[in-house]
PDB file of all heavy atoms in Angstrom:
ATOM      1  N   LYS A 125      26.803  28.130  -1.073  1.00 98.00           N
ATOM      2  CA  LYS A 125      26.527  29.437  -0.540  1.00 98.00           C
ATOM      3  C   LYS A 125      27.683  30.429  -0.872  1.00 98.00           C
ATOM      4  O   LYS A 125      27.459  31.586  -1.238  1.00 98.00           O
ATOM      5  CB  LYS A 125      26.359  29.325   0.966  1.00 98.00           C
ATOM      6  CG  LYS A 125      26.091  30.645   1.727  1.00 98.00           C
ATOM      7  CD  LYS A 125      25.909  30.378   3.221  1.00 98.00           C
ATOM      8  CE  LYS A 125      25.677  31.699   3.957  1.00 98.00           C
ATOM      9  NZ  LYS A 125      25.554  31.488   5.434  1.00 98.00           N
ATOM     10  N   TYR A 126      28.913  29.926  -0.754  1.00 98.00           N
ATOM     11  CA  TYR A 126      30.093  30.660  -1.113  1.00 98.00           C
ATOM     12  C   TYR A 126      30.071  31.056  -2.602  1.00 98.00           C
ATOM     13  O   TYR A 126      30.290  32.210  -3.012  1.00 98.00           O
ATOM     14  CB  TYR A 126      31.307  29.877  -0.788  1.00 98.00           C
ATOM     15  CG  TYR A 126      32.653  30.576  -0.688  1.00 98.00           C
ATOM     16  CD1 TYR A 126      33.672  30.018   0.069  1.00 98.00           C
ATOM     17  CD2 TYR A 126      32.871  31.815  -1.263  1.00 98.00           C
ATOM     18  CE1 TYR A 126      34.924  30.625   0.176  1.00 98.00           C
ATOM     19  CE2 TYR A 126      34.094  32.470  -1.123  1.00 98.00           C
ATOM     20  CZ  TYR A 126      35.117  31.852  -0.429  1.00 98.00           C
ATOM     21  OH  TYR A 126      36.349  32.478  -0.270  1.00 98.00           O
ATOM     22  N   VAL A 127      29.769  30.116  -3.431  1.00 98.00           N
ATOM     23  CA  VAL A 127      29.712  30.311  -4.888  1.00 98.00           C
ATOM     24  C   VAL A 127      28.625  31.385  -5.226  1.00 98.00           C
ATOM     25  O   VAL A 127      28.886  32.258  -6.025  1.00 98.00           O
ATOM     26  CB  VAL A 127      29.375  28.982  -5.573  1.00 98.00           C
ATOM     27  CG1 VAL A 127      28.961  29.212  -7.078  1.00 98.00           C
ATOM     28  CG2 VAL A 127      30.595  28.038  -5.537  1.00 98.00           C
ATOM     29  N   ASN A 128      27.476  31.257  -4.609  1.00 98.00           N
ATOM     30  CA  ASN A 128      26.380  32.247  -4.860  1.00 98.00           C
ATOM     31  C   ASN A 128      26.815  33.630  -4.474  1.00 98.00           C
ATOM     32  O   ASN A 128      26.498  34.587  -5.189  1.00 98.00           O
ATOM     33  CB  ASN A 128      25.144  31.811  -4.059  1.00 98.00           C
ATOM     34  CG  ASN A 128      24.544  30.546  -4.554  1.00 98.00           C
ATOM     35  OD1 ASN A 128      24.813  30.110  -5.675  1.00 98.00           O
ATOM     36  ND2 ASN A 128      23.628  29.976  -3.750  1.00 98.00           N
ATOM     37  N   ARG A 129      27.578  33.771  -3.406  1.00 98.00           N
ATOM     38  CA  ARG A 129      28.021  35.091  -2.988  1.00 98.00           C
ATOM     39  C   ARG A 129      29.023  35.633  -4.000  1.00 98.00           C
ATOM     40  O   ARG A 129      28.957  36.819  -4.344  1.00 98.00           O
ATOM     41  CB  ARG A 129      28.674  35.010  -1.604  1.00 98.00           C
ATOM     42  CG  ARG A 129      29.167  36.362  -1.051  1.00 98.00           C
ATOM     43  CD  ARG A 129      27.983  37.358  -0.929  1.00 98.00           C
ATOM     44  NE  ARG A 129      28.453  38.702  -0.590  1.00 98.00           N
ATOM     45  CZ  ARG A 129      27.699  39.741  -0.518  1.00 98.00           C
ATOM     46  NH1 ARG A 129      26.400  39.657  -0.852  1.00 98.00           N
ATOM     47  NH2 ARG A 129      28.158  40.965  -0.210  1.00 98.00           N
ATOM     48  N   LEU A 130      29.890  34.860  -4.532  1.00 98.00           N
ATOM     49  CA  LEU A 130      30.839  35.280  -5.505  1.00 98.00           C
ATOM     50  C   LEU A 130      30.142  35.787  -6.738  1.00 98.00           C
ATOM     51  O   LEU A 130      30.508  36.843  -7.350  1.00 98.00           O
ATOM     52  CB  LEU A 130      31.820  34.183  -5.871  1.00 98.00           C
ATOM     53  CG  LEU A 130      32.853  33.823  -4.775  1.00 98.00           C
ATOM     54  CD1 LEU A 130      33.480  32.481  -5.062  1.00 98.00           C
ATOM     55  CD2 LEU A 130      33.884  34.957  -4.643  1.00 98.00           C
ATOM     56  N   HIS A 131      29.128  35.061  -7.191  1.00 98.00           N
ATOM     57  CA  HIS A 131      28.394  35.481  -8.391  1.00 98.00           C
ATOM     58  C   HIS A 131      27.641  36.789  -8.125  1.00 98.00           C
ATOM     59  O   HIS A 131      27.538  37.675  -9.017  1.00 98.00           O
ATOM     60  CB  HIS A 131      27.450  34.355  -8.856  1.00 98.00           C
ATOM     61  CG  HIS A 131      28.136  33.243  -9.513  1.00 98.00           C
ATOM     62  ND1 HIS A 131      29.039  33.422 -10.581  1.00 98.00           N
ATOM     63  CD2 HIS A 131      28.083  31.882  -9.322  1.00 98.00           C
ATOM     64  CE1 HIS A 131      29.516  32.207 -10.940  1.00 98.00           C
ATOM     65  NE2 HIS A 131      28.922  31.281 -10.198  1.00 98.00           N
ATOM     66  N   HIS A 132      27.040  36.887  -6.991  1.00 98.00           N
ATOM     67  CA  HIS A 132      26.286  38.105  -6.646  1.00 98.00           C
ATOM     68  C   HIS A 132      27.227  39.351  -6.688  1.00 98.00           C
ATOM     69  O   HIS A 132      26.952  40.409  -7.301  1.00 98.00           O
ATOM     70  CB  HIS A 132      25.672  38.026  -5.271  1.00 98.00           C
ATOM     71  CG  HIS A 132      25.105  39.350  -4.786  1.00 98.00           C
ATOM     72  ND1 HIS A 132      23.883  39.792  -5.182  1.00 98.00           N
ATOM     73  CD2 HIS A 132      25.650  40.265  -3.972  1.00 98.00           C
ATOM     74  CE1 HIS A 132      23.666  40.982  -4.658  1.00 98.00           C
ATOM     75  NE2 HIS A 132      24.713  41.311  -3.877  1.00 98.00           N
ATOM     76  N   VAL A 133      28.385  39.194  -6.040  1.00 98.00           N
ATOM     77  CA  VAL A 133      29.379  40.293  -5.982  1.00 98.00           C
ATOM     78  C   VAL A 133      29.831  40.637  -7.375  1.00 98.00           C
ATOM     79  O   VAL A 133      29.890  41.818  -7.771  1.00 98.00           O
ATOM     80  CB  VAL A 133      30.531  39.887  -5.049  1.00 98.00           C
ATOM     81  CG1 VAL A 133      31.733  40.855  -5.267  1.00 98.00           C
ATOM     82  CG2 VAL A 133      30.125  39.916  -3.610  1.00 98.00           C
ATOM     83  N   GLY A 134      30.256  39.623  -8.155  1.00 98.00           N
ATOM     84  CA  GLY A 134      30.761  39.901  -9.480  1.00 98.00           C
ATOM     85  C   GLY A 134      29.756  40.574 -10.372  1.00 98.00           C
ATOM     86  O   GLY A 134      30.181  41.411 -11.233  1.00 98.00           O
ATOM     87  N   GLN A 135      28.482  40.309 -10.204  1.00 98.00           N
ATOM     88  CA  GLN A 135      27.479  40.847 -11.113  1.00 98.00           C
ATOM     89  C   GLN A 135      26.862  42.154 -10.611  1.00 98.00           C
ATOM     90  O   GLN A 135      26.338  42.919 -11.403  1.00 98.00           O
ATOM     91  CB  GLN A 135      26.422  39.785 -11.315  1.00 98.00           C
ATOM     92  CG  GLN A 135      26.912  38.548 -12.037  1.00 98.00           C
ATOM     93  CD  GLN A 135      25.915  37.406 -12.017  1.00 98.00           C
ATOM     94  OE1 GLN A 135      24.674  37.624 -11.991  1.00 98.00           O
ATOM     95  NE2 GLN A 135      26.406  36.168 -12.076  1.00 98.00           N
ATOM     96  N   HIS A 136      26.881  42.360  -9.261  1.00 98.00           N
ATOM     97  CA  HIS A 136      26.178  43.516  -8.768  1.00 98.00           C
ATOM     98  C   HIS A 136      27.026  44.510  -7.956  1.00 98.00           C
ATOM     99  O   HIS A 136      26.672  45.677  -7.831  1.00 98.00           O
ATOM    100  CB  HIS A 136      24.970  43.049  -7.870  1.00 98.00           C
ATOM    101  CG  HIS A 136      24.025  42.169  -8.581  1.00 98.00           C
ATOM    102  ND1 HIS A 136      23.147  42.573  -9.577  1.00 98.00           N
ATOM    103  CD2 HIS A 136      23.810  40.785  -8.496  1.00 98.00           C
ATOM    104  CE1 HIS A 136      22.449  41.574 -10.078  1.00 98.00           C
ATOM    105  NE2 HIS A 136      22.844  40.471  -9.375  1.00 98.00           N
TER     106      HIS A 136
END
Side-chain angles (χ1 to χ4, degrees):
K125 181 179 178 182
Y126 198 159
V127 167
N128 292 344
R129 181 60 186 172
L130 288 167
H131 285 309
H132 169 82
V133 165
Q135 295 170 29
H136 303 290

